[in-house]
Amino acid sequence: MNIFSANEADIEELTQVEIESKRQSIPECVEDYEIDVDSRRQRWQTYFKGQSPQTSKPQRIVLKAVTNGKIAGYLAGHLTTRYNFGAEIQSFYILKSAQNKKIGTELLISFVHWLTGRMQKVYVLVLIRKIDTKGSI
């Protein structure tokens, strides 16, 4: 597994990874609009152009984890003015078949390294909420 910066040429595959990850991992929590190919593709286009989210700063990165020539997961993050924080993760998905293989850990570490070159202090706050079998949090 290798981690690379993604770009607009990766939009189709990023869209598929996002949708498939949602379908496979949290199907009971997903609304139809959240797995609509056209709207997710449009969202990626605006993200790469720095047009979304509104509270974001232009500095952003999309990191992709590539295994056997395919994207197995990704993390998209940016600097922000939201909630008085300096940065946030916009989107973070790993295909179910690639989960529990440290791909998410490596993506998060790579994002933190990217942040350290752009911010004086970096604090990582992780909130974990367990989802029960009915999808309740």
Side-chain angles (χ1 to χ4, degrees):
M1 186 267 306
N2 293 297
I3 296 177
F4 303 102
S5 291
N7 58 47
E8 290 182 80
D10 296 307
I11 286 176
E12 289 302 319
E13 197 171 359
L14 292 168
T15 299
Q16 291 305 315
V17 168
E18 177 182 356
I19 291 170
E20 285 309 308
S21 179
K22 288 175 180 178
R23 283 183 176 151
Q24 295 168 358
S25 300
I26 53 170
E28 63 281 342
C29 298
V30 180
E31 301 291 335
D32 288 342
Y33 72 90
E34 295 174 301
I35 54 173
D36 178 73
V37 174
D38 292 334
S39 68
R40 302 320 304 158
R41 186 183 302 120
Q42 176 66 29
R43 182 111 169 145
W44 277 113
Q45 290 167 344
T46 61
Y47 191 77
F48 275 110
K49 290 177 183 173
Q51 297 170 341
S52 69
Q54 291 180 354
T55 55
S56 66
K57 294 181 179 180
Q59 300 91 336
R60 61 193 59 226
I61 192 165
V62 179
L63 298 165
K64 61 182 179 179
V66 178
T67 305
N68 299 323
K70 302 263 186 198
I71 297 176
Y74 71 84
L75 184 152
H78 54 265
L79 300 187
T80 187
T81 60
R82 185 172 160 170
Y83 303 125
N84 293 319
F85 288 116
E88 66 183 343
I89 294 172
Q90 176 69 20
S91 187
F92 191 4
Y93 289 98
I94 312 292
L95 291 173
K96 189 166 182 123
S97 62
Q99 292 175 9
N100 298 309
K101 296 179 181 174
K102 302 201 182 281
I103 291 173
T105 301
E106 292 301 320
L107 285 167
L108 186 58
I109 289 169
S110 295
F111 181 60
V112 170
H113 286 173
W114 178 83
L115 287 175
T116 57
R118 287 152 184 83
M119 301 174 65
Q120 279 188 328
K121 294 181 182 178
V122 176
Y123 299 97
V124 178
L125 172 65
V126 178
L127 302 175
I128 299 173
R129 293 189 276 173
K130 184 177 179 181
I131 300 175
D132 69 23
T133 56
K134 295 180 182 158
S136 301
I137 297 177

